Structures are given as structure tokens and as C-alpha cells.
Amino acid sequence: MSFSATILTLYPDMFPGPLGMSLSGDALARGVWSLEAKNIRDHGLGRHRTVDDTPAGGGPGMVIRCDVLASAIDANVPAHDPRPKLLMSPRGKPLTQSYVRELAAGPGVVIVCGRFEGVDERVIEARGLQEVSIGDYVLSGGEMAAMIVLDSCVRLLPGVMGKEASGTEESFESNRLEYPHYTRPREWEGRPIPDVLLSGNHAMIERWRREESERITRERRPDLLTSERN
Ligand code: SAH
């Protein structure tokens, strides 16, 4: 059974977009995962297919209506669909590599992409949407955030990355940032590849990588060394 993604969006034409290329695109073409993008506007009201309205209590912007979004969810997601229903939102649970692993190990995801000021709170509660944030900044819509969730999940699916690059040594695995990489040429603009990497001594190479990993993490992200977040 492959990982299946259903996206509810006002801009279905944005998909697969970058997900149709490279690693994720090849995997999509091979059926390792599937993607459908559904237009929330198909469930809009009246002749203009209206999906939003002004915020109760006043203030700027528009809010996606709960009834419209619920219809879009109900029409596209069967009642006992086992996939988690995510809502992209700056208020959400931060996306981390361990959260990505958890999602990638499951049957797939339903992702609701917000626009404008966001969505009516009641539909979040009534349809059990789990809010997910990709970082502490504000985007204009959830589509690119959804692509980030999918890209990070898809590369972990079996058969997407080579066995060699299984991802276990990468940044954020075991709360460390990755060590530096080098490839040919051996010397470039007066900068040599560190001798140890050319030594053929695998124990020394492993130790050097572990130490570099720790040094870089201490310098750039000391918070990772003390946190449980990954
Ligand atoms: N008024 C909202 C921001 C709305 S931005 C607030 O202050 O919290 C419009 C939409 O973009 C959101 O509904 C959400 O779907 C998406 N979005 C914006 N920033 C995001 C982030 N950091 N992570 C995930 N989705 C985000």
C-alpha cells in the first residue's frame, strides 16, 4: 500500500509543482506515493462559489467558512479514512524530523491549506484537524507548507532514496547537524580535503565526523543538544 496524499486547497494547480520533479517526482511516477489536489472552491456557495467571509468581531482580512471547508473534507475524505487530517497553520505543532518520520510511516496524509486569515475555528474542532507549522514565520498560504511536509515524508518512503542514503546520518537524526561533505577535486583554490577523509581509516573517519557534527551543532544550534524535539 502506497503513501497517499489528498490536498484541499484553493489553488490545486500549484500541485504537484516541485513535487513532480527529481526524487519525489520519480517516486510519484513509479507509484510509490500518490497525490490528488482538490479545490475547496468546488464546494463554495452560490453563483460565485464563495468560500470566505469577514471575521466575526471585526478586523482585517477574510476567513474560510467552516461549512464550505467541511463540505470539501466530507466530499473527499471517507468517514473512516485512516490518514491524519492536517491543517497547515503557524499556530501548529512544529514540523520536525521525528514528526516527519511518524507521518511517513503511516498510510498518508490529508492536508488542508489555509489562505487569507485562516479558517473558522469550528471546522478544526469538528473535523479533528491537526494544526502543523513549518516554522515561526507567516506564509500567504498553506500550499508551500504542504509541499514541504510531503517532500520531507516522501524521501523517507521505502525505495525512494538509495539504501546507501537511508537518511540515518542526516541532520536532526539523533539531535545533531550533519558533518561537512567533500568530493573531488582533492585540492581546490588552495583548499585541500581534510587528510583524515582520504586516510582509508574508517574508525578515524567516523570519529572525525562525529566530532565535527558535535562542533557544528554546538556552534549553530546549541538548543538541539538539550532538547527532546527530535
Ligand atoms: N492569520 C494567521 C496567518 C494566516 S497565513 C495567523 O496569524 O496565524 C495564511 C495561511 O498560510 C494559513 O492559514 C496557513 O495555512 C498558511 N501558513 C502561513 N504560515 C504558515 C506556517 N508557518 N506553517 C504552516 N502554514 C502556514
Side-chain angles (χ1 to χ4, degrees):
M1 214 189 53
S2 68
F3 184 92
S4 102
T6 298
I7 311 295
L8 300 175
T9 168
L10 288 168
Y11 299 96
D13 292 347
M14 285 175 77
F15 294 87
L19 297 171
M21 287 163 209
S22 190
L23 213 65
S24 54
D26 295 343
L28 190 56
R30 284 187 289 123
V32 176
W33 70 294
S34 64
L35 173 68
E36 52 172 15
K38 299 292 189 173
N39 200 338
I40 298 168
R41 195 168 298 281
D42 291 347
H43 304 272
L45 305 174
R47 200 160 54 85
H48 297 293
R49 298 260 160 232
T50 302
V51 298
D52 58 348
D53 210 329
T54 54
M62 299 294 274
V63 175
I64 298 181
R65 289 177 59 120
C66 50
D67 49 357
V68 171
L69 184 51
S71 303
I73 294 170
D74 296 346
N76 290 293
V77 185
H80 297 291
D81 196 309
R83 297 172 298 170
K85 292 187 278 292
L86 312 182
L87 169 66
M88 301 320 301
S89 158
R91 301 188 315 189
K93 169 169 160 173
L95 188 71
T96 60
Q97 190 64 16
S98 68
Y99 191 13
V100 168
R101 280 202 177 276
E102 197 182 306
L103 293 173
V109 283
V110 175
I111 305 183
V112 177
C113 302
R115 279 272 157 182
F116 323 123
E117 290 306 317
V119 311
D120 187 308
E121 190 72 16
R122 293 169 291 178
V123 69
I124 302 176
E125 297 162 9
R127 292 299 178 273
L129 305 182
Q130 304 171 24
E131 294 179 71
V132 178
S133 167
I134 62 157
D136 293 342
Y137 39 79
V138 181
L139 305 169
S140 52
E143 288 77 11
M144 286 194 260
M147 288 177 197
I148 282 166
V149 171
L150 291 176
D151 183 85
S152 57
C153 286
V154 166
R155 63 193 288 285
L156 296 180
L157 299 176
V160 174
M161 284 192 293
K163 200 188 181 109
E164 225 187 321
S166 66
T168 51
E169 283 191 28
E170 284 183 318
S171 290
F172 305 114
E173 298 300 338
S174 56
N175 281 350
R176 296 287 186 282
L177 300 177
E178 201 178 48
Y179 50 78
H181 293 295
Y182 299 88
T183 185
R184 279 178 273 272
R186 192 166 176 146
E187 183 166 323
W188 176 74
E189 295 192 350
R191 297 161 192 271
I193 293 176
D195 283 337
V196 57
L197 297 179
L198 306 170
S199 69
N201 183 331
H202 293 291
M204 268 171 58
I205 292 171
E206 206 182 301
R207 187 166 146 218
W208 180 87
R209 286 181 167 164
R210 196 173 53 247
E211 285 170 0
E212 282 296 284
S213 205
E214 276 170 24
R215 177 183 64 78
I216 290 169
T217 309
R218 227 178 304 112
E219 282 172 15
R220 303 183 187 178
R221 293 290 305 279
D223 59 298
L224 290 176
L225 297 168
T226 51
S227 82
E228 300 292 309
R229 65 193 289 259
N230 288 293

